[in-house]
């Protein structure tokens, strides 16, 4: 588990433990607007999950990620974070992603929202990686 700080803005969080990892974003405040963090999946998840969560239950994710189905000719869909209830992005393998090559950027937009952008690789029928906890 890694609790990110403002000093780490612009850095890259690497998901390379195949049994899961957790990154917690700083709490969104007026002074954190503009901070951003990039994440890459270096090793495909085998058990557990890869998770990015906001630092406060009242901070929400807004935006979207493209999801490529790596076992059916890279069919692409988009999954959206609604900005009002989603606080986490979780890749638990297969349908929610977590395969090597994924990229996600989180940017603090306001005192209550993080913009999520990215490209996630998955297998099987796609399911949203966004969650309320």
């Amino acid at each position: 588990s890694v609790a990110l700080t403002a000093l780490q803005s612009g850095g890259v969080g690497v998901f390379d433990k195949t049994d899961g990892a957790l990154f917690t974003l700083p709490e969104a405040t007026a002074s954190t607007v503009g901070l951003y963090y990039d994440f890459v999946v270096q090793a495909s998840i085998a058990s557990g999950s890869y998770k990015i969560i906001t630092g406060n239950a009242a901070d929400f994710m807004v935006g979207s990620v493209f999801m490529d189905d790596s076992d059916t000719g890279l069919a692409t869909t988009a999954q959206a974070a609604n900005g009002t209830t989603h606080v986490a992005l979780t890749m638990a393998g297969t349908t929610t992603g977590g395969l090597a090559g994924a990229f996600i950027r989180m940017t603090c937009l306001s005192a209550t929202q993080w913009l999520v952008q990215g490209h996630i690789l998955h297998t099987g029928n796609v399911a949203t990686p966004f969650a309320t906890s």
Side-chain angles (χ1 to χ4, degrees), residues 2-4 22-29 32 37 52-61 86-88 106 108 111-114:
V2 177
L4 297 167
L22 169 68
F23 285 94
T24 303
L25 298 166
E27 183 175 341
T29 65
T32 60
Y37 304 87
I52 304 166
I53 192 164
T54 61
N56 181 323
D59 295 344
F60 302 108
M61 293 181 182
H86 294 135
V87 297
M106 303 294 295
C108 188
T112 60
Q113 286 189 326
W114 285 90

Side-chain angles (χ1 to χ4, degrees), residues 6-133:
L7 293 175
Q8 294 168 308
S9 177
V12 178
V14 179
F15 290 108
D16 59 359
K17 292 179 59 218
T18 60
D19 61 347
L22 169 68
F23 285 94
T24 303
L25 298 166
E27 183 175 341
T29 65
S31 64
T32 60
V33 171
L35 297 182
Y36 72 93
Y37 304 87
D38 291 333
F39 301 90
V40 295
V41 176
Q42 184 176 16
S44 297
I45 190 78
S47 63
S49 65
Y50 290 149
K51 186 173 189 174
I52 304 166
I53 192 164
T54 61
N56 181 323
D59 295 344
F60 302 108
M61 293 181 182
V62 63
S64 62
V65 293
F66 288 103
M67 306 271 299
D68 281 340
D69 191 343
S70 65
D71 64 351
T72 59
L74 293 176
T76 302
T77 60
Q79 297 294 318
N82 63 21
T84 58
T85 63
H86 294 135
V87 297
L89 182 149
T90 304
M91 297 174 285
T94 64
T95 61
T96 57
L99 301 180
F103 168 82
I104 300 154
R105 173 171 279 182
M106 303 294 295
T107 305
C108 188
L109 281 182
S110 72
T112 60
Q113 286 189 326
W114 285 90
L115 173 67
V116 58
Q117 301 166 289
H119 210 106
I120 296 175
L121 303 173
H122 71 93
T123 60
N125 294 327
V126 69
T128 185
F130 297 108
T132 58
S133 62

